[in-house]
Amino acid sequence: MIAMKVYNNDTIAAISTAVGEGAIGIVRLSGERAVEIASKILRQNNKTSLSDRRSHSIFLASVVDPEDGSLVDEVLVSIMRAPNTYTREDIVEINCHGGAVALRKTLGLALAAGARIADPGEFTKRAFLNGRIDLTQAEAVIDAIRSRTDAALKAAINQLEGGLSRDIGDIAEDIANVLTQIEAAVDFSDEDIETLPKQHLIETLRGAVNKIDRLVRTAVRGRILKEGVKTAIIGRPNVGKSSLLNALLRRERAIVTPVPGTTRDIIEEMVNVRGIPLILTDTAGIRDSNDEVERIGIEFSRKAIKAADIIICVLDASQEICDEDLALISEIGRDTAVLVLNKTDLPQKISRENLQLPGNFKAVVKVSAISGAGVEALEEEIEKILLDGSVGIAGSTIITNARHEQLLEMALGHVREATALIEADQPEEIVSTVLKESLDCLAEITGEAIGDDILGRIFSQFCIGK
Ligand code: GDP
């Protein structure tokens, strides 16, 4: 696969700010004719022509319709000349007043003056095709825009600054060094030169395996940061699930009611627990029921348990534990669950000590959803369960992209295979082929070797104007 490093070098234009009313809105132009096109639709208060303006300067101007000379908006214009720009092309940014009409008219005039409307992500795609950033950095742009928590943004910015690219480059270098030696052995196989330092090659490849493996393992955390953690709050009716959800959200959203079995709809909310986005699902209690609607709720709960990454199982500690509670607990056959003893502000009938549970809980936490007591401790336990064991050293690379994860796993397989082949004294030609396959996978991550179809798919996820 070879990247098609050619593209229409026509000049593109788009509204780069969000739709709707804002204080300012930006029409951005990029390409060889950006300055020329902009000068057709701008009138300046002083006589310096646009093409004589210094690069990276800002000035006041008016957008005028060249057809009839009518005034569209008073604007601030930034001019940035290639190559030190976002796209490495000439860029003109016209800062309009943020109304939709002024923006659309200005864009319309730019298009009439010779620009083409930009595809989604085309500015960033040009930055990639012109070699200013690699593909992982381009992908980080969209991640940064979509980040929902500080931690997700941090991961995206680290990738944008080339953190992942450096890690990949480092691994590729190790593999390439081994490949060079293997190929030399093939080339000089007729000559009586010293045999390959087999052990050294194996060690280098093992080092590469460890590095790739470490990256792959960060993907758990990456997915958590990017997509959130599906969290199911389960428990029989009236134990305080909605109240707990509210305590976590710290705002009223679910309708809290003392009538059992009224939380029939599944409510989804996102709550940021120590930088981890939890997607909370509040379900009706699992219990045997003849009520049709209720039963659907129960089905939902069972499905929710299956679909959830983590389960918060709530008991009412002011009542004796009952068969319903136990039936529900027995549905939870995994260890990413926390047991919450709620209503600890009332006289207690269940205590942590006298609990004999069939379920497999990581932690038992006492809370009062009403007073908020213990909710912080619950958050702490949730964080522990999710991030324990997953690599998460601040500032280090985190894989947040499924495409990268898949390619890394493939590269890992190839490097492991090559190591085994060397160990088994297999022919160098075979080892060499397998090593090259691993390098291809790494090159596809950074975009050095990538097909147009994949590129198209990646950039089409962007918003227009980015
Ligand atoms: P759900 O059916 O499990 O969602 O339970 P709700 O959140 O609707 O709560 C049922 C009832 O228990 C409501 O009257 C709540 O006010 C009450 N409740 C919930 N949590 C607590 C708590 O920690 N302490 C006390 N005293 N009452 C609670």
Side-chain angles (χ1 to χ4, degrees):
M1 270 184 293
I2 294 165
M4 299 283 292
K5 307 249 171 186
V6 268
Y7 59 86
N8 275 338
N9 60 350
D10 46 5
T11 295
I12 51 172
I15 298 170
S16 284
T17 40
V19 263
E21 232 170 78
I24 59 162
I26 299 175
V27 172
R28 176 147 71 168
L29 290 120
S30 179
E32 273 173 11
R33 295 180 59 212
V35 176
E36 177 214 324
I37 290 168
S39 66
K40 285 190 195 162
I41 64 168
L42 292 172
R43 194 198 302 137
Q44 299 174 72
N45 302 338
N46 93 17
K47 293 280 170 267
T48 319
S49 94
L50 204 58
S51 54
D52 292 336
R53 289 276 180 187
R54 263 187 309 117
S55 183
H56 294 77
S57 65
I58 297 181
F59 52 91
L60 187 69
S62 305
V63 174
V64 282
D65 187 339
E67 286 278 303
D68 56 11
S70 64
L71 181 68
V72 174
D73 198 3
E74 185 185 62
V75 295
L76 268 181
V77 180
S78 326
I79 181 164
M80 290 159 277
R81 285 182 212 285
N84 293 322
T85 68
Y86 188 71
T87 54
R88 281 216 171 148
E89 302 172 329
D90 284 350
I91 288 187
V92 176
E93 285 185 358
I94 304 173
N95 288 244
C96 300
H97 288 110
V101 178
L103 279 168
R104 244 183 264 138
K105 269 203 115 160
T106 303
L107 176 64
L109 292 177
L111 299 179
R116 166 173 69 73
I117 188 87
D119 294 332
E122 197 172 359
F123 291 92
T124 309
K125 188 176 180 181
R126 288 184 171 203
F128 164 66
L129 291 175
N130 287 326
R132 190 181 67 78
I133 52 175
D134 74 9
L135 195 53
T136 68
Q137 292 171 301
E139 288 172 303
V141 171
I142 192 167
D143 287 348
I145 293 171
R146 299 215 174 130
S147 296
R148 291 191 287 192
T149 62
D150 285 355
L153 180 62
K154 223 185 206 165
I157 296 297
N158 177 56
Q159 188 175 318
L160 183 60
E161 287 182 334
L164 176 59
S165 315
R166 277 192 295 278
D167 289 346
I168 300 276
D170 186 33
I171 295 163
E173 199 181 314
D174 287 349
I175 298 171
N177 283 339
V178 174
L179 182 63
T180 312
Q181 302 210 42
I182 297 277
E183 298 211 312
V186 175
D187 292 344
F188 301 108
S189 57
D190 296 340
E191 296 164 35
D192 194 19
I193 59 164
E194 106 188 56
T195 50
L196 281 177
K198 185 174 148 183
Q199 207 45 46
H200 177 70
L201 297 186
I202 290 172
E203 263 157 39
T204 308
L205 289 184
R206 286 217 181 106
V209 163
N210 285 340
K211 287 176 192 169
I212 301 173
D213 193 48
R214 209 179 312 143
L215 279 181
V216 169
R217 279 191 289 120
T218 65
V220 175
R221 189 188 170 96
R223 214 171 306 123
I224 284 174
L225 291 183
K226 196 163 165 182
E227 287 160 25
V229 179
K230 285 202 213 89
T231 310
I233 303 182
I234 61 160
R236 68 184 160 83
N238 240 19
V239 293
K241 296 182 297 296
S242 312
S243 308
L244 182 65
L245 173 64
N246 283 329
L248 284 166
L249 288 167
R250 300 221 164 75
R251 60 197 165 99
E252 293 292 313
R253 181 71 184 266
I255 303 154
V256 181
T257 147
V259 183
T262 47
T263 315
R264 281 166 179 169
D265 295 320
I266 291 197
I267 300 162
E268 276 206 343
E269 281 283 1
M270 201 202 87
V271 56
N272 183 344
V273 170
R274 301 174 178 228
I276 305 166
L278 291 192
I279 314 295
L280 282 164
T281 312
D282 178 15
T283 55
I286 294 182
R287 61 170 195 170
D288 296 324
S289 168
N290 298 321
D291 180 324
E292 195 58 32
V293 186
E294 185 79 86
R295 249 212 308 257
I296 293 167
I298 293 163
E299 250 334 283
F300 267 136
S301 293
R302 291 212 172 106
K303 279 201 190 118
I305 289 180
K306 262 207 194 114
D309 301 310
I310 184 168
I311 296 153
I312 300 174
C313 176
V314 185
L315 295 182
D316 181 345
S318 70
Q319 294 182 11
E320 300 283 355
I321 196 160
C322 64
D323 290 347
E324 276 179 72
D325 293 323
L326 292 171
L328 182 127
I329 287 168
S330 66
E331 297 276 336
I332 305 167
R334 56 209 269 195
D335 61 358
T336 51
V338 185
L339 185 72
V340 169
L341 301 180
N342 188 34
K343 307 197 189 181
T344 49
D345 53 297
L346 300 175
Q348 301 296 283
K349 296 268 174 61
I350 307 178
S351 74
R352 206 191 307 230
E353 295 68 35
N354 66 19
L355 264 183
Q356 296 208 330
L357 294 172
N360 197 3
F361 293 99
K362 262 273 155 69
V364 181
V365 188
K366 295 166 91 170
V367 309
S368 166
I370 294 287
S371 78
V375 174
E376 230 185 284
L378 173 62
E379 291 186 346
E380 210 170 288
E381 290 300 337
I382 293 170
E383 186 192 28
K384 255 199 245 161
I385 290 177
L386 292 173
L387 297 184
D388 248 0
S390 82
V391 198
I393 314 122
S396 70
T397 303
I398 296 170
I399 300 298
T400 55
N401 183 309
R403 191 183 75 85
H404 302 166
E405 187 183 355
Q406 278 164 12
L407 287 165
L408 281 169
E409 299 228 0
M410 280 164 69
L412 188 62
H414 293 313
V415 181
R416 283 200 172 121
E417 187 188 344
T419 315
L421 289 169
I422 297 175
E423 278 173 334
D425 290 318
Q426 292 297 306
E428 281 86 10
E429 286 88 345
I430 301 178
V431 180
S432 151
T433 308
V434 176
L435 285 177
K436 279 181 191 152
E437 280 168 349
S438 74
L439 287 174
D440 285 348
C441 295
L442 298 180
E444 199 172 321
I445 296 177
T446 53
E448 283 159 63
I450 193 156
D452 261 358
D453 48 333
I454 300 176
L455 272 192
R457 221 178 313 136
I458 291 170
F459 285 102
S460 64
Q461 300 166 33
F462 276 64
C463 28
I464 290 183
K466 190 70 210 180

